[in-house]
Amino acid sequence: MAPRPTKQDFLSIGDLAPEIPALLVRAERGKRARRRRSVRPTLPGRNLGLIFEKPSTRTRTSFEVAMNDLGGHALYFSSRDLQLGRGETIGDTARVLSRYLDGIAYRAFHHADVVALADAASIPVINALDDLEHPCQILADLLTMHERWGGRFGGRRLAWIGDGNNVLHSLLLGAAAVGLDLTVATPAEYAPRPEVVARARELGRRTKASLALGTDPSAAARGADALYTDVWVSMGDEGEQAAREAAFRGYQIDERLLGLAKTDAFVLHDLPAHRGQEITDAVLDGPQSAAWDQAENRLHAQTALLERLLGRPTAAGRAR
Ligand code: CP
Ligand code: NVA
């Protein structure tokens, strides 16, 4: 297969910042089509490789189903299955897989490895979660908010309660890109990385999105349109489990905290949840939980993303 002359990677949600609104509209259209069982197979014969260094339920399954729906194919490799696990370099792996595949989604421990794969590959590389970002997750989260708020982010405020981690990093950039106000409450020692915050502020200048960082969960939740949390101990952070569980006590989304938000507020969680830690059963299973729609939306958001990245370019340089 001839290498493509140009390619678009998706290593950060910021990589497609100006296109996010159009992707969300496309994802909503695709979701409706799937419910009618009339998804158009727009990627016939295309092959997506999935290289996963960490476990996954949602990301792996939604990528595999999306490729199947679109008439293409997905191949899953744990990193141990590849020669990568025996020392073949990321660059050599990328060069070889680029001769077989049309795209690669990579879940890695280190963001630098995702960048190295993308740099050496001649096909689009998608960040399927690393220590810095989880951009596919945030595309689905924005879709979930978009459909609940009738397609408008302006004037809405989301509160993040918990760790300043990969999911928050992508959320900071994604919220800024679409003009969604964000209030963040993390323990001071688990704040998001300053360089990501700076980039989010830069993106938010154009959309006028406001961003407030703090440490008080109640202050963040008060009057919010939605609350969002994630695990206190991410994959790769297990060595800090005890310290983290101590630091995050008080950062749980429970019925009291949810009661401070607007009465019609909903709760986001990217899952998997550690029930009884960052979120209670009552909230996650309750009427204000959006977590299950959010999980479903991984499929619809990624379907739109795959069409954009792996679809045939038009004269305008965009996928159909
Ligand atoms: N939210 C998410 O990425 O889930 P998985 O780890 O199951 O893919
Ligand atoms: N922050 C979590 C997200 C899991 C989908 C992790 O990296 O483990």
Side-chain angles (χ1 to χ4, degrees):
M1 180 176 314
R4 291 158 157 253
T6 57
K7 59 148 180 163
Q8 171 71 58
D9 297 316
F10 188 57
L11 308 191
S12 164
I13 187 93
D15 290 348
L16 291 179
E19 295 183 44
I20 293 173
L23 278 172
L24 299 180
V25 170
R26 176 183 269 197
E28 285 184 354
R29 208 169 46 225
K31 183 171 181 174
R32 286 193 296 273
R34 192 167 201 274
R35 295 227 159 129
R36 292 193 307 270
R37 296 192 172 273
S38 61
V39 179
R40 285 196 315 133
T42 52
L43 298 179
R46 306 288 162 100
N47 292 294
L48 176 74
L50 304 171
I51 304 178
F52 277 49
E53 295 178 1
K54 305 176 185 181
S56 168
T57 298
R58 282 142 286 268
T59 308
R60 173 183 177 177
T61 310
S62 51
F63 269 121
E64 293 199 18
V65 171
M67 284 306 287
N68 190 55
D69 280 356
L70 294 171
H73 183 65
L75 298 87
Y76 174 84
F77 309 104
S78 93
S79 50
R80 282 188 313 277
D81 296 330
L82 299 173
Q83 295 287 10
L84 194 56
R86 293 181 56 247
E88 185 168 22
T89 69
I90 289 175
D92 290 352
T93 303
R95 280 181 278 276
V96 171
L97 292 182
S98 294
R99 300 293 181 107
Y100 307 131
L101 302 172
D102 300 283
I104 300 173
Y106 184 19
R107 171 166 286 197
F109 280 96
H110 306 295
H111 182 70
D113 290 343
V114 182
V115 173
L117 189 85
D119 283 350
S122 58
I123 54 176
V125 171
I126 298 170
N127 181 350
L129 178 148
D130 61 29
D131 56 337
L132 185 65
E133 278 207 47
H134 194 2
C136 299
Q137 179 66 53
I138 271 37
L139 215 47
D141 304 342
L142 293 174
L143 176 60
T144 308
M145 292 181 265
H146 193 261
E147 58 190 14
R148 284 177 179 242
W149 292 333
R152 272 187 297 279
F153 293 106
R156 297 289 186 175
R157 185 171 65 80
L158 173 66
W160 172 273
I161 315 290
D163 190 15
N165 63 13
N166 46 4
V167 174
L168 175 59
H169 288 156
S170 291
L171 183 64
L172 284 163
L173 301 171
V178 300
L180 169 65
D181 294 342
L182 183 60
T183 309
V184 172
T186 66
E189 63 275 37
Y190 295 104
R193 294 195 201 172
E195 67 274 20
V196 180
V197 173
R199 192 161 158 236
R201 291 203 191 282
E202 180 75 41
L203 275 174
R205 258 196 282 282
R206 186 181 53 80
T207 61
K208 310 238 181 314
S210 81
L211 169 59
L213 301 180
T215 57
D216 182 348
S218 297
R222 198 163 290 118
D225 293 285
L227 308 183
Y228 193 166
T229 191
D230 184 19
V231 291
W232 295 341
V233 183
S234 283
M235 293 179 277
D237 290 337
E238 291 81 359
E240 302 171 9
Q241 179 130 2
R244 283 176 166 270
E245 285 178 12
F248 286 101
R249 216 163 283 133
Y251 285 80
Q252 182 185 68
I253 299 189
D254 56 12
E255 285 170 302
R256 183 201 68 81
L257 201 71
L258 181 54
L260 298 175
K262 288 198 178 140
T263 47
D264 60 352
F266 55 89
V267 178
L268 296 163
H269 192 309
D270 52 306
L271 305 176
H274 285 69
R275 291 166 174 266
Q277 288 201 351
E278 75 276 0
I279 195 163
T280 59
D281 287 337
V283 171
L284 187 59
D285 298 329
Q288 287 168 272
S289 172
W292 316 110
D293 289 343
Q294 196 185 349
E296 178 188 333
N297 282 340
R298 294 295 307 275
L299 171 61
H300 308 302
Q302 282 154 215
T303 300
L305 177 71
L306 289 167
E307 286 190 306
R308 163 66 182 86
L309 298 182
L310 307 192
R312 194 177 307 133
T314 63
R318 296 274 169 84
R320 281 169 297 167

